[in-house]
Amino acid sequence: MHKSNKIEKLLWAIALPGFGQFLNGKYVKGITLIILEFIVNYMSDLNQIIIDSFKGNIQEAIQQTDYHWLMFYPCLYMFGIWDAYKDGGDTAEYAYIPFVLGAFLGTVGIIYSDVFHPFSILLGPVWLPMLFSFVGIAIGVAIFLFLKRRQSIL
């Protein structure tokens, strides 16, 4: 049996936090992340929010959202992805930065998802946090590459 690679583990963690941990043999951590995922998902009504958002019913998604619970989701999600990636093998120094910034800006996106209208479009509690997370990841990758380059020069 061959060992799966880091990217495979990262992609399974994107599918559901905890799956990457199972591939890494970290069963208690995987079960814990899956249980937390289900609790936050249920308490924030995330599945219904996603359905409403995909159908373009942004106001309904906003009204349905329990923001106090949903604010946990970006950090839980990005930690699950980072942890699966990190435990999958050798990881470069500062490789965590894109994940941390993705989690942080995703949370900021949730906070402002009911009032922030980029380009006069209300994106709501699914699309705005996703957009902010991607921006955070991109900024994090740029910082990671800068630090990596700087370290190799020294």
Side-chain angles (χ1 to χ4, degrees):
M1 182 154 102
H2 86 284
K3 287 191 168 198
S4 56
N5 64 35
K6 290 171 67 92
I7 299 301
E8 179 184 1
K9 294 168 184 179
L10 179 136
L11 291 173
W12 277 109
I14 288 171
L16 185 72
F19 282 6
Q21 286 71 18
F22 280 117
L23 288 174
N24 285 325
K26 310 285 181 156
Y27 302 111
V28 173
K29 197 185 300 184
I31 290 169
T32 302
L33 283 169
I34 290 173
I35 290 170
L36 288 171
E37 159 77 20
F38 276 92
I39 290 170
V40 172
N41 186 308
Y42 178 77
M43 296 303 291
S44 67
D45 210 7
L46 182 58
N47 286 345
Q48 188 60 49
I49 297 163
I50 292 170
I51 291 168
D52 288 339
S53 295
F54 269 80
K55 289 182 176 181
N57 302 324
I58 303 300
Q59 282 298 340
E60 290 175 30
I62 289 169
Q63 292 170 353
Q64 189 75 25
T65 303
D66 184 329
Y67 284 91
H68 293 105
W69 278 98
L70 189 59
M71 286 179 55
F72 286 109
Y73 197 78
C75 291
L76 174 65
Y77 190 71
M78 294 305 285
F79 174 78
I81 296 168
W82 159 248
D83 184 72
Y85 181 74
K86 172 186 62 76
D87 285 348
D90 290 338
T91 304
E93 190 175 13
Y94 305 117
Y96 60 88
I97 293 174
F99 298 93
V100 171
L101 287 178
F104 174 72
L105 287 182
T107 303
V108 171
I110 288 172
I111 293 167
Y112 290 103
S113 66
D114 62 338
V115 295
F116 185 62
H117 299 71
F119 310 109
S120 299
I121 300 170
L122 181 62
L123 296 175
V126 170
W127 301 117
L128 189 66
M130 284 176 58
L131 175 65
F132 275 37
S133 288
F134 290 136
V135 169
I137 291 167
I139 293 169
V141 167
I143 292 169
F144 166 73
L145 293 173
F146 171 78
L147 291 172
K148 189 175 174 185
R149 182 173 176 229
R150 183 172 168 247
Q151 190 176 38
S152 68
I153 292 171
L154 298 176

